[in-house]
Amino acid sequence: MTRFAHSVSALRSSEIRDLMSLATSPNIISFSGGMPGNELFPLDMIDNVYQSLTEKEKQIAMQYGPTNGLPILLESLSGYLEKKGLPIKKNRLMITTGSLQAINILAKAFVDPGDNILVETPSFIGALSAFRSYEANLISVPLKGNGIDIEQLKLKLETTHPKPKFLYFAPNFHNPAGIIYSEEVKLQMIELLTDKDIPLIEDDVYSDLYFYEEDVPKMKNIKTIDPEGIDVCFTGSFSKILGPGLRLGWMLVPEHIYQKCELIKQSIDACSPSFSQVIADKFIRSGYIYEYTDNVRLEYKKRGLAMIEALEKHLPNYVSFEKPRGGFYIWLHLPQGTDSTLILKKAIEKGVVFVTGKTFDPDGVKNDYMRVSFCNTDVDVINKGIPIVADAIREVCG
Amino acid sequence: MTRFAHSVSALRSSEIRDLMSLATSPNIISFSGGMPGNELFPLDMIDNVYQSLTEKEKQIAMQYGPTNGLPILLESLSGYLEKKGLPIKKNRLMITTGSLQAINILAKAFVDPGDNILVETPSFIGALSAFRSYEANLISVPLKGNGIDIEQLKLKLETTHPKPKFLYFAPNFHNPAGIIYSEEVKLQMIELLTDKDIPLIEDDVYSDLYFYEEDVPKMKNIKTIDPEGIDVCFTGSFSKILGPGLRLGWMLVPEHIYQKCELIKQSIDACSPSFSQVIADKFIRSGYIYEYTDNVRLEYKKRGLAMIEALEKHLPNYVSFEKPRGGFYIWLHLPQGTDSTLILKKAIEKGVVFVTGKTFDPDGVKNDYMRVSFCNTDVDVINKGIPIVADAIREVCG
């Protein structure tokens, strides 16, 4: 067995697995998952898409495709991303088996065991697992309400030797923090990183799920700016705007990075599922993707606002949070030093599950936060479950 | 960039990519690919499967699933494999994104950079790429007509220090060699490896595609024997018995290896496509899988026998080959020292493509072999293309 196979990640991942299995028990209210509600999938649209497939398209769906993705989907997805302002022509697009695979491939391209990389605290557990699996040394930089803490980032850049191999961040409706990066923070990041030979991995899977149209301009990606002197690797996913069961994501990266990534993908799974790709292509070309994201955006807004309201009503006043303006998550800040695992245990006894703070801590320690998701429960369930969460917090924190 | 990203694999893989792109050009006859013919996919069956899906099943298809696979598919696939004699109950089954991913995950579980592993010469290029991507040191053992060369294997086991992390082999209708391992060779392998703490990776994706029912008993897997004192990791795939576009494979491995592999898969792509898994499950439960493999088995036999006949008729007598008894491939042995790349160039000028021998050589050197595939061309095309291959060989070898 390799060093990795003996590493501590094992423990952490089994804890998550246990939580996830609880979360799918029918008798428990789950604020833990990051998956869309089953009832929200566009099944009628998928039916129409399937019915519209020609024999030739079905053959393509059943066959191997190119490692970087089916040409039809690369074309339609390019159009979709270009409309959002992403610099398709100056970069290369690759279809991946979920955006987690895109992050995993980038990690493999950049990280040798022991290499330093920069990540946010808190950060997406999937990315942390991928980075740990390549034995990266995670250097964490705190998040604030408007994005990464620029002073801390500056400090880490000055004090981290050897120089970090990249900075991984999620600018919009952060998982788990729920925040949006401000334009100012993004501009400061660009200033700090220009000509430093430290690429950015910009992971943006929730940005279509905004509650307020007015936020769209300020959610502009650093990749959209594509600043000179920084290699920005942009990753995205169909999981939140179509369905995670298709396992389709993408990366949009500079040519020289793309070349390495294609080679790596070739040895990981040869290509992403053609069947899924044919469906996703039609979903874009038919325009369903716009209709569907308009629909779910409204539904997630309803759920998110209901959860904010319930939290404001029921939480003790020593618990604070940034109100999300989109996405799936609310990140609760408990009194300093609280062990949210104790709260989780109480909550599970009462029939509610969420995710503890340390799960998202690159160092696996800081536990005075907790994440509640509003994506996978309707308003009634939210109104039933949040008072229980509040009770569990009170029982532990007094 | 990592050491891997700078490695020689880059060159080899781009050569393959170039060949593959030629192979898909409409004006060229391709004996190069390892994919089923487009016209052979069970599209009507897939239509019926899709039409039979309930709303709930479609929701499952669109949602994340457990890392190790959807419970329904694990159940139906277990039944399918158990019927073949595989020891389901004593092992753990995991669904992977193609069998290449299963091999990749096992490589990650076992290999630290510089570790020795044992592979056949020739060997499946996908596996070699995966092993190289983890910087394994490939120790090659020659193949004979009845399986791995036991004397050579014995020698390598005695002389390889540190001890190899595993032996990777493909017992049935080998890619590219086309051969079946004899029972005797398998028993000798077991004898050599018992209590040596060197696991086997037994890659068996072609065994359903036999030409002769009488061969089935002797194709029994080492995993089916599941000998005491050897950890046998068995990998398989839906690619040849349903469609590679679904990207579904599996591994059947001992519990302690499974635990590491599940953790690794979690960070690679979280789970394999649920959409594909729901379809594959129904394909098994409906019994279509048996009907379909019966059909394609006959068709591949027709093609294989036609290619054997054409080769026997047209090849110069200094080219020899083992007649395949199933699978997709024929492995031509050219006069010693021949550079099959020269033959390939001639053949491409004449409108036919195949794969050169060195592609499958772990050391990337030995080129006096070439692989012709009969899976993806019908009998007429075979009869048109093989004389051209023979001409190209004559032009180079005289």
Side-chain angles (χ1 to χ4, degrees), chain B residues 73 77 95 236-244 248-250 280 284 289:
Chain B
L73 178 59
L77 181 60
I95 305 298
S237 174
F238 282 104
S239 292
K240 275 67 187 178
I241 55 174
L242 175 49
L248 290 181
W250 57 82
I284 296 174
I289 195 164

Side-chain angles (χ1 to χ4, degrees), chain B residues 40-56:
Chain B
L40 299 182
F41 292 125
L43 300 187
D44 290 346
M45 293 175 182
I46 298 296
D47 281 347
N48 291 343
V49 162
Y50 187 84
Q51 304 309 342
S52 77
L53 297 179
T54 63
E55 190 180 332
K56 188 161 174 239

Side-chain angles (χ1 to χ4, degrees), chain A residues 107-379:
Chain A
K108 186 159 174 60
F110 288 117
V111 175
D112 279 318
D115 279 351
N116 293 321
I117 62 168
L118 294 168
V119 294
E120 305 152 308
T121 305
S123 192
F124 168 47
I125 174 69
L128 295 179
S129 298
F131 301 152
R132 286 187 187 115
S133 81
Y134 294 110
E135 302 180 51
N137 182 34
L138 309 183
I139 310 284
S140 58
V141 185
L143 264 192
K144 296 166 70 170
N146 61 351
I148 201 162
D149 183 325
I150 287 291
E151 285 312 309
Q152 286 291 319
L153 176 59
K154 205 172 160 184
L155 189 68
K156 298 285 180 177
L157 286 170
E158 283 163 7
T159 56
T160 303
H161 304 289
K163 166 167 91 167
K165 286 298 182 82
F166 58 75
L167 163 59
Y168 168 79
F169 77 111
N172 294 316
F173 312 129
H174 190 276
N175 176 10
I179 61 146
I180 309 176
Y181 272 53
S182 74
E183 289 177 280
E184 196 193 348
V185 165
K186 286 180 280 192
L187 292 173
Q188 287 171 320
M189 286 171 70
I190 293 173
E191 207 186 312
L192 274 179
L193 289 166
T194 299
D195 294 330
K196 292 286 194 317
D197 192 25
I198 300 175
L200 284 173
I201 300 181
E202 184 175 34
D203 180 17
D204 192 24
V205 301
Y206 299 100
S207 60
D208 286 303
L209 304 181
Y210 51 83
F211 298 165
Y212 309 103
E213 190 79 33
E214 72 206 57
D215 287 341
V216 174
K218 72 174 174 212
M219 287 162 52
K220 187 164 152 182
N221 292 109
I222 293 187
K223 187 69 196 168
T224 299
I225 302 167
D226 218 13
E228 285 283 320
I230 310 180
D231 283 332
V232 185
C233 303
F234 179 82
T235 62
S237 175
F238 281 104
S239 293
K240 275 67 188 179
I241 54 175
L242 174 49
L246 298 176
R247 304 311 298 128
L248 289 180
W250 58 83
M251 66 169 80
L252 182 71
V253 298
E255 175 75 32
H256 66 283
I257 294 173
Y258 174 90
Q259 292 299 339
K260 319 295 180 198
C261 289
E262 191 184 21
L263 183 60
I264 292 168
K265 177 158 174 64
Q266 218 169 23
S267 78
I268 290 186
D269 61 3
C271 61
S272 293
S274 304
F275 207 99
S276 299
Q277 292 186 65
V278 165
I279 289 171
D281 171 59
K282 292 267 171 181
F283 194 70
I284 296 174
R285 284 178 199 268
S286 60
Y288 281 150
I289 195 165
Y290 297 105
E291 194 181 326
Y292 178 63
T293 45
D294 283 349
N295 290 343
V296 287
R297 196 178 286 143
L298 288 178
E299 182 58 33
Y300 290 130
K301 179 179 181 181
K302 208 163 72 183
R303 294 173 180 197
L305 295 183
M307 192 174 271
I308 292 169
E309 196 184 325
L311 288 168
E312 287 182 327
K313 188 167 163 195
H314 295 285
L315 280 185
N317 61 12
Y318 50 75
V319 181
S320 61
F321 61 94
E322 294 279 337
K323 289 184 202 175
R325 298 175 65 84
F328 278 6
Y329 310 108
I330 303 181
W331 184 233
L332 303 183
H333 189 178
L334 302 161
Q336 200 167 359
T338 304
D339 180 359
S340 64
T341 306
L342 296 178
I343 300 173
L344 179 61
K345 285 177 187 158
K346 293 278 178 198
I348 287 173
E349 285 166 24
K350 297 169 188 288
V352 179
V353 68
F354 58 83
V355 188
T356 56
K358 68 178 179 185
T359 310
F360 307 97
D361 177 13
D363 305 315
V365 175
K366 196 165 166 51
N367 212 17
D368 49 10
Y369 282 84
M370 51 185 270
R371 187 191 80 177
V372 281
S373 315
F374 52 81
C375 48
N376 199 17
T377 40
D378 67 22
V379 171

Side-chain angles (χ1 to χ4, degrees), chain B residues 71 83 140 143 200 203 223 229 237 253 257 299 313 341:
Chain B
K83 266 194 202 165
S140 59
L143 263 193
L200 285 173
D203 180 17
K223 187 68 195 172
S237 174
V253 298
I257 295 173
E299 182 58 33
K313 187 168 166 194
T341 305

Side-chain angles (χ1 to χ4, degrees), chain A residues 372-393:
Chain A
V372 281
S373 315
F374 52 81
C375 48
N376 199 17
T377 40
D378 67 22
V379 171
D380 287 348
V381 175
I382 287 169
N383 286 331
K384 197 175 149 200
I386 289 299
I388 297 173
V389 170
D391 282 350
I393 292 173

